[in-house]
Amino acid sequence: MTGDRPEGGADAGGAPAGTGRRALTVAVLLGLAGAGLASYAVTRTWAVELTPRAAPLPPTRTTSTGGDLLPWVTALALVALAGAGAVLATRGAVRRLVGVLLTLIGLGIAAGGGYGLVGLSDVDVGPGWPLLCLAGGLLVAAGGASTAAGGHRWPAMGARYDRSTGAARRAAPTRGADGRVGGAGTAAAWDALDRGEDPTVN
């Protein structure tokens, strides 16, 4: 065993290490892209209300963004952005829990976009922005579902550092029963001698 990965280049769940890293990257990118799309879409105009006035005055035009109409969608999109980062920072069962939460958040964002498509009576505004919000929510949900299903098998952010630290410890000078330094630490022992230090002394 080396760090948290078995020998042969597999991650903790037995899958190839490259596969786990790719799956982690895809899930994070899905979350970031979906949250970014939704965050932008809710700042655009979703509805325009025309209020008639006495002739010859033109009707009053009132515009509303997605955030004005559904402020909770904006909040969910921001939480989804943070959740995508949390996928990188967590591991194991905690990462799977983050995936479940992201799935629910993504579905909530998608529901907001769906409401904008079918529940709003707008004037001179097409369905583009609510549709983009719906797509963003589905991307977040897809990334979350992938994380919930297999995130516990993906490498953790600190795994490479842990393996590097373990390799450095194995490369430290070793001492035999006769007090002589050898093995993987021979080069380190010569470096110590060059500095005027005695590597055989504790």
Side-chain angles (χ1 to χ4, degrees), residues 92-124:
V94 176
R95 177 180 280 166
R96 296 189 71 182
L97 177 59
V98 171
V100 172
L101 293 176
L102 280 175
T103 302
L104 297 176
I105 290 171
L107 292 177
I109 294 173
Y115 174 75
L117 286 174
V118 301
L120 298 177
S121 57
D122 54 357
V123 178
D124 295 332

Side-chain angles (χ1 to χ4, degrees), residues 26-175:
V26 169
V28 172
L29 289 179
L30 285 174
L32 291 176
L37 287 176
S39 296
Y40 180 73
V42 296
T43 65
R44 305 294 92 190
T45 299
W46 283 26
V48 177
E49 181 181 359
L50 298 179
T51 304
R53 294 191 295 178
L57 297 175
T60 302
R61 182 184 177 94
T62 304
T63 63
S64 300
T65 66
D68 294 331
L69 300 169
L70 305 171
W72 51 270
V73 174
T74 303
L76 288 181
L78 294 177
V79 174
L81 281 174
V87 171
L88 283 174
T90 55
R91 66 174 73 188
V94 176
R95 177 180 280 166
R96 296 189 71 182
L97 177 59
V98 171
V100 172
L101 293 176
L102 280 175
T103 302
L104 297 176
I105 290 171
L107 292 177
I109 294 173
Y115 174 75
L117 286 174
V118 301
L120 298 177
S121 57
D122 54 357
V123 178
D124 295 332
V125 177
W129 298 121
L131 184 61
L132 188 64
C133 181
L134 171 62
L138 293 178
L139 288 177
V140 172
S146 176
T147 302
H152 61 293
R153 295 190 297 268
W154 301 343
M157 184 166 53
R160 178 174 298 178
Y161 172 79
D162 293 340
R163 289 192 296 276
S164 299
T165 302
R169 288 172 180 167
R170 288 192 299 276
T174 57
R175 194 193 322 277

